[in-house]
Amino acid sequence: MSDFLNVENLSKRYGTGPMILSGMNHHFQKGTATGLIGANGSGKTTFLRLVSITAFPTEGTITFLGEPIYDAPHRFLKHIGIVTDATDLPAYLSANELLEWTLRARKKWDDSDSPRRMDELFERLHFDERRENLIGTYSSGMLQKTMLACSLITQPELILLDEPFRALDESSKKASLEMLNEYKSSGGTILVSSHLRRSLAKLCDDYITFPVREDASSPS
Amino acid sequence: MLTPLTYRAIPGRHVSAARRITAMIPGLVILLALLWLAHELALEERIVLFRYLAMAFAGCMAFITPHMLFPDGDKTLVLQLNPSPRRLFLHHLVKLRALWLYGLAAIAVIAFGDSVNPAQDFHEKTRLFAAGLIALTAIILYALYRFATIGASSQRWNEGKSGRRLFESLDSVGKSIPVDAGMFPTFLSTILVTFVGMMVVVVSAAIPHMVLAILPFVLFLGYSGFLLGREIRHYDRRYYQSDAFYDELFTNPATGSKESREPASYGSIYWVPKRWRAAVWTQLVQLDRKRPMGRIIALLSFTYWLLIWLGTPESWHAGWLLFWILAKNMLAWPVSDPAISPPVFHWWMLPPRDWMIARFFLQTRWTLAFLLTVAAAALFSEAASWQAVWMWTLADVAVSAVSAWLLSRSNEFAFRRRYA
């Protein structure tokens, strides 16, 4: 059994409503990409929210390297990068400044190396000179590229992506997939959700299908 | 290039200078009103006024703290930056800083706002200010402790794991608690913060010696500091769990739980002309889901009558009515948030001027309740004249108009300026 990321008996309901997830068990291997597949409302985003500690489970636990992630969120969050569809990034910073801020806050800034890495990342994401413009002026695609850049620049052990390709054009999607594959080859682990299986075929080694909820059931 | 000063902090969202100044206006008005009340008071009267203010502050913090802290609008950034538990605690303190500063300013006005003999009793006034500083800090820290650590228990109540027997036994005798199960820990904390804060003031008032009278506040501060100090190491867990709970409750409509109150129907907005009725209805329904306005208005009215019944000075009645009007208007400010009023969608639905008119109707929804509140005072006491009833009602209408203009200016008109 992998010690990397384990989900045990995970269940989640909002209030006293129906179970969104019920008794989910899964072991995620290091260095793999797992696609979370399912129709709208099947629980993919809820699962990602649970792993990213923006929601807490009703039952069950998630452990990372043997430690329950909810006991010390700050310690767990050091190891992960997150790309969501949330667009509430600071409107009055540029993408460059946001990345610099992320690196410094996570104590990963290096005066000599970090600017070069940032430039390389933006180049590969086809993020042109608008990386110097304010985030408040960005399109949804540019916002997603910014979030992807923020996640990759810190070289975390685990990246969570919620519908990361939805707003991207074809060339940006291709570039993102390339970078995520390289990240995976270097030992990174990916959880990515999409309702479009085809988008994930070039990245994922494994899939979890979240069924349409007639009643509470565990994803397979 | 970011400087260490900018990257170390977790700032709130950028707010324009105009909006900051606008947000300060109600606080400044209250401070001026307080100065007007206090400028000729003797020392003993200042001490009494301070006690009332401290109790009001405890009540205010009891209600406002969860709304100030959760859900955190900076959450996406917080996740990216992953601040340490200690830094998350500081992040929360900064969010409450403005209230603390306003409270301190009010205490300073009460202690030193003396136009008759400014230099007289200076030592006693300084002692009063010190007592106020300690009291307010203790209240804020206690409120922070109670609400920042509430996530785990709230989730248990929200999911029916706790409190089921209580609600079932109340149901069986045809009674109910006027809050959703998930809000019960918040409801309890609200009562605790109010009660404990007020009791500390009462205990202090019972001590005749002026220096020793500060002791209850000092002990309360020590206690609040101790409670919070225990949590700082694990503050990340408290922060994320409490934020996750309030995020589900306040911003995720799909909680799966039935709404405890029926939303206002379109037909109930019959008093608004047809052109604006749908706009008023959608704003009203959303605002009601965010804030229990009816209960807040009832509390404001009840407090006004209580002040009359307690025989407090007339200037206090006027001060409270002013607060009533400002609070009612300020509580509706979320309607200008893009989450409730997405600018593009609003632009599509109605011109900005119509949104301003719609918000005027939204704000004057409670004007009749206000009029009846003051009219009851005129009818059953000598605390208000009928002339005052009409003057205060007109004041409410005027402030509602200004508020509607400000809200629309920051949303629809700003959108038009930017893109049209």
Side-chain angles (χ1 to χ4, degrees), chain A residues 14 58 70 88 101 106, chain B residues 7 76 80 161 236-237 255:
Chain A
Y14 292 105
T58 304
Y70 300 109
D88 47 344
W101 192 7
R106 287 170 177 256
Chain B
Y7 80 77
T76 304
Q80 293 291 350
K161 289 182 191 167
D236 53 338
R237 189 193 162 98
T255 59

Side-chain angles (χ1 to χ4, degrees), chain B residues 8-46:
Chain B
R8 250 187 248 144
I10 308 169
R13 300 194 185 146
H14 177 90
V15 178
S16 68
R19 193 150 182 179
R20 278 192 203 276
I21 292 168
T22 309
M24 281 171 64
I25 290 173
L28 290 173
V29 167
I30 291 172
L31 286 174
L32 284 171
L34 209 50
L35 183 60
W36 173 61
L37 274 175
H39 77 282
E40 289 178 334
L41 294 181
L43 180 64
E44 292 72 25
E45 289 167 320
R46 289 176 190 281

Side-chain angles (χ1 to χ4, degrees), chain B residues 83-94:
Chain B
S84 64
R86 185 180 151 271
R87 204 159 278 288
L88 282 170
F89 167 68
L90 291 174
H91 175 56
H92 268 174
L93 279 185
V94 167

Side-chain angles (χ1 to χ4, degrees), chain B residues 317-374:
Chain B
H317 309 162
W320 186 258
L321 287 178
L322 183 63
F323 177 72
W324 199 114
I325 292 172
L326 290 175
K328 178 210 77 173
N329 280 280
M330 281 172 64
L331 283 166
W333 279 4
V335 298
S336 73
D337 281 350
I340 290 185
S341 299
V344 175
F345 193 74
H346 274 214
W347 177 254
W348 183 45
M349 296 300 281
L350 278 177
R353 193 170 48 199
D354 287 274
W355 281 107
M356 186 175 69
I357 296 170
R359 293 210 175 90
F360 171 72
F361 283 115
L362 179 76
Q363 294 287 35
T364 53
R365 171 199 190 194
W366 298 110
T367 299
L368 181 62
F370 180 72
L371 187 154
L372 292 173
T373 299
V374 189

Side-chain angles (χ1 to χ4, degrees), chain B residues 54-70 89 92-93 95-97 99-100 134-151 185-198 200 220-221 223-229 231 235 238 242 246:
Chain B
M55 289 200 280
F57 192 77
C60 173
M61 290 310 299
F63 280 95
I64 210 169
T65 301
H67 294 283
M68 298 288 289
L69 298 180
F70 304 115
F89 167 68
H92 268 174
L93 279 185
K95 279 186 178 289
L96 298 177
R97 181 179 55 189
L99 286 171
W100 182 71
I134 296 169
L136 262 53
T137 308
I139 289 168
I140 280 196
L141 291 182
Y142 186 63
L144 177 58
Y145 165 74
R146 287 244 63 102
F147 291 107
T149 59
I150 213 168
T186 300
F187 177 63
L188 268 185
S189 291
T190 304
I191 293 173
L192 268 173
V193 171
T194 308
F195 179 75
V196 171
M198 289 186 176
V200 171
F220 187 29
L221 179 63
Y223 177 60
S224 305
F226 166 72
L227 289 174
L228 266 176
E231 300 296 333
Y235 206 83
R238 309 286 178 244
S242 300
Y246 281 106

